[in-house]
Amino acid sequence: MQQVRTPHVVVVMGVAGTGKTTIGPLLAARLGVPYAEGDDFHPQANIDKMTAGHPLTDEDRWPWLDAIGSWAHDRAGLGGVVSSSALKRGYRDRLRAAAPGVVFVHLTGDRKLIEDRMSHRQGHFMPTALLDSQFATLQPLEADEAGVAVDVSGDPGEITERAVAALRALAQPTQ
């Protein structure tokens, strides 16, 4: 399988259960760049709060987003893939402020499919009960944001290939 090299940092975003942690490393391998798991940037207080079934506030998220932004900034020109829910435009703006060249891959899909996937995963701190708050918070990518939406139906390989194709199309100059 051919690698598709990119100097960009790609942020794999979406609500919980869309497959960021599965697709992120697969996409990084296809792009030939390192992967960073966004959940690893959370302070323990955030993990404890989500584990208890409480959604994070913006104030909870700022240090987390700043840590991801710092990683993305350090990878500028080298490329990388990092996962982050990046649900609000303001969160993505904060990531872009730290690393202006970031490109977003928004994993999106049917709520029932996402809930089903969440209910079958093991060892993750995010309970299915918080899915509604994730969808309520979600602000999809806007036309002026560098990024693509990728449907999460199918197996991880299919989703990854759709993401690679969408990123390639995004990189093509428009006439």
Side-chain angles (χ1 to χ4, degrees):
M1 192 178 314
Q2 177 188 5
Q3 286 185 342
V4 181
R5 205 75 157 116
T6 179
H8 294 293
V9 173
V10 177
V11 177
V12 179
M13 62 167 282
V15 299
T18 53
K20 296 180 296 291
T21 299
T22 300
I23 303 306
L26 294 173
L27 183 59
R30 286 285 280 119
L31 299 176
V33 296
Y35 171 72
E37 169 54 53
D39 286 341
D40 293 344
F41 292 91
H42 273 298
Q44 188 61 44
N46 284 6
I47 293 170
D48 293 345
K49 190 171 185 177
M50 289 183 284
T51 300
H54 303 290
L56 298 178
T57 65
D58 287 351
E59 290 72 30
D60 295 326
R61 285 189 172 94
W62 299 140
W64 173 65
L65 290 165
D66 290 343
I68 292 171
S70 177
W71 184 89
H73 174 80
D74 291 347
R75 297 296 313 161
L78 302 171
V81 174
V82 62
S83 58
S84 168
S85 54
L87 298 176
K88 289 184 179 180
R89 170 72 187 242
Y91 303 164
R92 297 188 298 273
D93 288 345
R94 194 168 184 120
L95 292 172
R96 273 190 295 274
V102 297
V103 175
F104 294 89
V105 170
H106 178 190
L107 299 179
T108 184
D110 178 71
R111 188 197 186 290
K112 289 184 84 133
L113 171 67
I114 294 167
E115 183 175 20
D116 182 62
R117 288 183 179 172
M118 274 186 86
S119 69
H120 288 95
R121 65 184 184 179
Q122 297 176 0
H124 196 279
F125 57 80
M126 176 68 88
T128 306
L130 289 182
L131 188 56
D132 286 336
S133 73
Q134 293 262 299
F135 273 105
T137 301
L138 177 64
Q139 296 171 346
L141 289 173
E142 296 179 26
D144 66 332
E145 294 184 88
V148 295
V150 175
D151 182 71
V152 296
S153 60
D155 67 48
E158 294 169 333
I159 299 164
T160 301
E161 289 309 310
R162 279 197 295 275
V164 168
L167 288 169
R168 278 186 181 145
L170 185 66
Q172 298 300 317
T174 55
Q175 303 286 350

